[in-house]
Amino acid sequence: MVRADEFVPAFDEAIAHASKEIQAIADSPAEPTFDNTIVAMEKAGSALDRLEAIFGVHAGNLNVG
């Protein structure tokens, strides 16, 4: 069961995690390549993407009527 009061802390955590992933890419000492830059940026924040999808479904269900 999804509880609305859990979304704010979940978003806070997912945003913090995505920021750390992006910072790790920026701080990498490796020579920039397509894979370790562009592909890595596309994959960063996947937890946030999943949470946004769940939130969208939940919000959509509240508006059906």
Side-chain angles (χ1 to χ4, degrees):
M1 175 184 240
V2 176
R3 293 183 15 199
D5 63 327
E6 295 176 330
F7 277 113
V8 172
F11 270 106
D12 289 343
E13 186 173 330
I15 290 168
H17 185 72
S19 294
K20 288 178 186 175
E21 290 176 319
I22 292 168
Q23 192 61 51
I25 295 165
D27 292 343
S28 174
E31 180 75 23
T33 65
F34 185 82
D35 285 337
N36 72 10
T37 306
I38 305 301
V39 173
M41 290 291 289
E42 284 290 320
K43 291 180 179 180
S46 61
L48 182 57
D49 291 340
R50 288 190 304 272
L51 179 58
E52 288 174 335
I54 293 167
F55 180 78
V57 169
H58 181 72
N61 287 339
L62 294 175
N63 291 321
V64 174

